[in-house]
Amino acid sequence: MSPAIALAFLPLVVTLLARYRHYFRLLVRAVLLRGIRDCLTGLQPEERAFSYVLTNALPGDPGHILATFDHWSSHCEYLAHLGPLKGQILTRLVTQQAPECVLELGTRCGYATLLIAQALPPGSRVVTIEMDPQTATVAEKVIRLAGLDECKVELIVGRSEEVIPCLKAQYRLRQADLVLLGHRPRCYLRDLQLLEAHALLPAGATVLADHVLFPGAPRFLQYAKACGRYRCRLHHTGLQYFPAIRDGVAQLTYLGPG
């Protein structure tokens, strides 16, 4: 390409970079820098974050552990967990509804798990499912560091589509009053239908789904709005730690099988 042609495209490139600068920053932090750190350290991002939390957070204090995760994610390395703003939505729902059992799909580093557990009333529990064994190992350490025992938080390692059909028989989960979908948006619809098929949602149960606008879960949203079994509400938010990037949390209320 000649210098004259390249120069002609320069205003367009500058305009695109200015308009999508937040997405560019996310790409750099979440993909490029992460890849470099993975190669240099031989550790997963969750493992690096836990090392920081272990050094700087107060054991037995879930709130301080969450604040330490927030500091790491804001200033050191991006982690795609729920974050403080979306976390307020989750905490408010748990506090208001006082569910007996919460099911979480996608434990990641245990961030949302701690939010749920510290807002639950005595006697209630969280069952959380994580597909990746290495990530689950980190989450287990985070959960126990926060002082939460297996009666309060039970972590299951496995694929959600394989674990959900076994929840009643193998894990004594009769029904989930609140479900948090935070794993892979492309799996939300499949797993929601599995929860319905295995009668794990009582009438009035809440399903909270993260990242429904970015990267997006259009088929999930379309189904929830069209099937007639849910009352839907969309909480418009920014992406955690990147508030200028538009995202949303879907809140579904299960009306029954119909």
Side-chain angles (χ1 to χ4, degrees):
M1 182 182 293
S2 69
I5 296 176
L7 191 61
F9 278 99
L10 184 59
L12 176 61
V13 172
V14 172
T15 300
L16 290 175
L17 285 176
R19 181 173 182 179
Y20 297 104
R21 63 189 183 280
H22 304 293
Y23 297 91
F24 180 72
R25 286 180 56 238
L26 176 62
L27 175 67
V28 170
R29 288 193 62 193
V31 180
L32 300 180
L33 292 179
R34 173 173 295 182
I36 293 171
R37 291 187 180 107
D38 289 350
C39 292
L40 292 176
T41 65
L43 300 173
Q44 288 188 335
E46 291 81 8
E47 293 172 313
R48 294 192 290 272
F50 177 69
S51 295
Y52 181 80
V53 168
L54 190 61
T55 303
N56 294 278
L58 297 174
D61 187 339
H64 196 264
I65 292 173
L66 289 168
T68 307
F69 267 121
D70 287 330
H71 187 273
W72 171 267
S73 300
S74 298
H75 298 93
C76 302
E77 185 173 358
Y78 176 76
L79 287 178
H81 51 228
L82 200 65
L85 295 180
K86 293 178 179 179
Q88 292 177 9
I89 299 171
L90 174 62
T91 300
R92 184 171 63 249
L93 282 174
V94 174
T95 302
Q96 291 174 348
Q97 298 182 5
E100 182 178 337
C101 183
V102 178
L103 174 64
E104 179 187 20
L105 304 185
T107 316
R108 298 186 182 270
C109 62
Y111 185 99
T113 314
L114 297 192
L115 280 173
I116 296 167
Q118 68 176 355
L120 281 175
S124 297
R125 67 173 180 142
V126 185
V127 175
T128 181
I129 302 171
E130 174 54 47
M131 178 183 72
D132 181 70
Q134 284 183 274
T135 303
T137 298
V138 173
E140 182 81 33
K141 293 176 182 177
V142 170
I143 292 164
R144 305 314 166 205
L145 181 68
L148 302 169
D149 60 23
E150 293 182 358
C151 294
K152 194 69 174 181
V153 178
E154 182 174 4
L155 173 59
I156 302 169
V157 183
R159 302 179 67 86
S160 55
E161 71 271 25
E162 297 172 357
V163 175
I164 289 173
C166 305
L167 284 173
K168 284 189 174 182
Q170 191 171 343
Y171 298 100
R172 308 179 312 281
L173 193 156
R174 188 175 61 86
Q175 288 183 318
D177 305 301
L178 191 151
V179 178
L180 175 63
L181 304 179
H183 51 330
R184 290 173 172 79
R186 67 175 181 271
C187 300
Y188 287 1
L189 177 57
R190 177 201 67 197
D191 288 348
L192 182 67
Q193 291 174 331
L194 277 174
L195 292 170
E196 294 173 355
H198 291 275
L200 287 162
L201 296 176
T206 296
V207 178
L208 203 64
D210 192 14
H211 294 305
V212 294
L213 298 183
F214 184 87
R219 293 177 60 244
F220 168 81
L221 290 176
Q222 182 180 17
Y223 172 82
K225 293 175 181 178
C227 71
R229 290 189 284 275
Y230 297 93
R231 185 170 64 250
C232 304
R233 177 183 178 186
L234 183 60
H235 299 272
H236 289 277
T237 68
L239 184 68
Q240 54 271 33
Y241 312 111
F242 286 87
I245 297 177
R246 182 171 169 263
D247 196 11
V249 177
Q251 178 183 336
L252 314 181
T253 303
Y254 186 57
L255 304 177

